[in-house]
Amino acid sequence: MDKDKKTFGIDISKNTFDVMDCSGNYYQFDNNTKGFVKFLKLLCPVSHCVMEATGYYHYQLAYFLVDNNIAVYVENPLSIKRFIQMKLSRIKTDKSDAKMICMYGQDQELKLWVGYSKNQMECLQQIRLLDTYTKQSTALQNKVQAEQTLGNPSKVVISSLKRSLRNIEKEVILIETQLLELVKSEYQEVLTKVESIPGIGRKTAMMLVVLTDGFKRFESSSQLCSFCGLTPVLRQSGSSVKGRTRISKIGNAKLRNLLFMCSFTACKCNKACKAIYDRITEKGKSKKLALIAVCNKLLRQAFAIAKSGVEYSKEYRSPMPKFI
């Protein structure tokens, strides 16, 4: 433990955030700019602020602190929850949570949090908006179909639903165009190379490039697979527990789902992916397991291409994942 390090545990909610420092001092501030400025007055160059990822609530404070050269650590809520359980804490309040987060920060080796750039944040917001529009479009199409199955569907209702659909389609085209321009302005070369991989479409390629900051956030393909929740988890203990090996699913679910959809196409047109799929299914393994292995392979190909700077090659070979 670094004695010179002054740790602050932060428990954030929608309207306020509670703070406990390593000396046992407790504070509460509003979760807005005024509260951030007041909190900043307590900090010094050796201060370390530890918080858990809480949806969207922690982002503004984290970016504010980073902009003011304060060390920030944003931790997985599950890790902190397990730490609290290990300490056998029977109290559950905002104040006690801040205290336990502070203790967690003192006991554990943490990795500095690196936020997304303004370009990445803009891209991610547009991607989330497109996802929302896609869901709305599907819901409206289903509603139109349901109304048309009636004996005498209302012309007013059908017309209104179709107008809404057309408006959403226009917005989708507009956002997709702006998003592509934004991604190309910073990641044109990497995007082109990733798109060259058979099976990976433009939408998945853009998600990969934006979320990984052009693959700069990861040092190995294994780290990238872990980020997507595609790493295997063994479940064995003694002679009685021999569970089936599964993927962790602790990662970006949206990206994982896109890769799974890509795996269907990759099995047909990507030579390396097809070889893996055929090899696994011939052993009698499930098709789903084979498709997950294909997702893993696609990620490794994308990582290798982005890091090496060379175009896609059919002869590229990467290590086989352990669960195959």
Side-chain angles (χ1 to χ4, degrees):
M1 185 186 300
D2 187 354
K3 294 183 179 180
D4 294 328
K5 181 175 71 174
K6 189 168 185 180
T7 305
F8 290 80
I10 305 172
D11 182 65
I12 304 179
S13 61
K14 180 179 179 180
N15 298 317
T16 60
F17 63 97
D18 298 79
V19 179
M20 181 78 77
D21 65 21
C22 51
S23 300
N25 300 310
Y26 169 73
Y27 312 89
Q28 187 180 73
F29 304 95
D30 292 332
N31 193 5
N32 55 36
T33 305
K34 289 184 179 179
F36 301 162
V37 173
K38 289 181 181 179
F39 176 47
L40 186 63
K41 294 178 181 178
L42 301 176
L43 307 178
C44 61
V46 295
S47 295
H48 292 247
C49 296
V50 185
M51 61 187 78
E52 60 182 5
T54 53
Y56 296 107
Y57 297 150
H58 69 281
Y59 276 114
Q60 286 191 335
L61 176 58
Y63 277 111
F64 177 86
L65 294 174
V66 169
D67 290 342
N68 284 276
N69 301 314
I70 301 296
V72 176
Y73 307 87
V74 179
E75 296 298 300
N76 190 312
L78 183 60
S79 299
I80 294 176
K81 181 180 180 180
R82 294 290 181 261
F83 177 82
I84 293 174
Q85 291 174 338
M86 184 181 68
K87 294 294 183 180
L88 302 178
S89 176
R90 296 182 176 86
I91 304 173
K92 174 62 179 175
T93 63
D94 293 337
K95 182 178 179 179
S96 67
D97 284 349
K99 179 181 178 181
M100 297 306 293
I101 293 172
C102 180
M103 292 174 61
Y104 176 88
Q106 290 178 293
D107 290 353
Q108 306 296 314
E109 288 292 330
L110 307 180
K111 186 177 180 180
L112 272 173
W113 179 76
V114 179
Y116 291 112
S117 66
K118 291 183 178 179
N119 186 298
Q120 287 177 292
M121 287 295 291
E122 179 67 26
C123 289
L124 289 172
Q125 289 181 60
Q126 290 187 21
I127 288 171
R128 287 194 291 267
L129 180 59
L130 283 173
D131 190 44
T132 300
Y133 282 154
T134 300
K135 292 176 181 178
Q136 290 177 350
S137 178
T138 301
L140 286 171
Q141 289 175 19
N142 291 339
K143 181 64 176 173
V144 170
Q145 187 175 7
E147 291 293 335
Q148 288 176 336
T149 57
L150 296 175
N152 295 301
S154 169
K155 292 182 179 180
V156 173
V157 171
I158 297 297
S159 297
S160 178
L161 289 171
K162 288 185 175 181
R163 279 198 305 272
S164 298
L165 263 174
R166 287 194 295 271
N167 289 335
I168 289 177
E169 289 169 358
K170 289 178 183 178
E171 289 298 320
V172 167
I173 293 172
L174 177 64
I175 297 298
E176 284 180 340
T177 303
Q178 293 178 346
L179 176 61
L180 182 59
E181 291 176 357
L182 197 60
V183 174
K184 283 184 173 181
S185 67
E186 190 166 349
Y187 307 108
Q188 172 70 76
E189 186 177 352
V190 178
L191 180 65
T192 301
K193 287 184 170 64
V194 173
E195 280 187 304
S196 70
I197 301 173
I200 294 185
R202 171 154 289 177
K203 187 175 182 180
T204 306
M206 286 198 297
M207 276 285 286
L208 265 173
V209 169
V210 172
L211 287 171
T212 63
D213 191 17
F215 295 87
K216 297 173 186 175
R217 286 177 171 262
F218 302 99
E219 297 177 359
S220 68
S221 57
S222 297
Q223 290 179 351
L224 178 58
C225 291
S226 296
F227 173 74
C228 296
L230 288 170
T231 49
V233 176
L234 296 176
R235 301 175 187 274
Q236 296 180 359
S237 179
S239 59
S240 59
V241 180
K242 292 184 178 179
R244 183 182 297 176
T245 302
R246 303 176 183 273
I247 57 173
S248 68
K249 291 189 178 181
I250 302 176
N252 191 291
K254 175 66 176 175
L255 184 53
R256 187 167 60 250
N257 291 337
L258 285 173
L259 286 165
F260 190 74
M261 297 304 295
C262 290
S263 66
F264 290 94
T265 304
C267 289
K268 300 175 182 178
C269 61
N270 189 311
K271 182 180 177 180
C273 292
K274 187 178 186 304
I276 288 178
Y277 182 84
D278 291 341
R279 186 157 56 247
I280 295 174
T281 52
E282 285 171 4
K283 290 180 181 179
K285 303 288 186 179
S286 70
K287 291 182 179 180
K288 186 175 182 180
L289 177 65
L291 290 171
I292 290 171
V294 170
C295 293
N296 199 296
K297 183 68 173 180
L298 286 172
L299 277 178
R300 292 175 185 275
Q301 287 181 335
F303 183 86
I305 285 174
K307 289 295 185 179
S308 65
V310 299
E311 296 290 341
Y312 168 79
S313 171
K314 293 181 180 180
E315 306 306 319
Y316 169 75
R317 296 178 62 86
S318 64
M320 294 284 283
K322 295 180 181 179
F323 56 85
I324 295 176

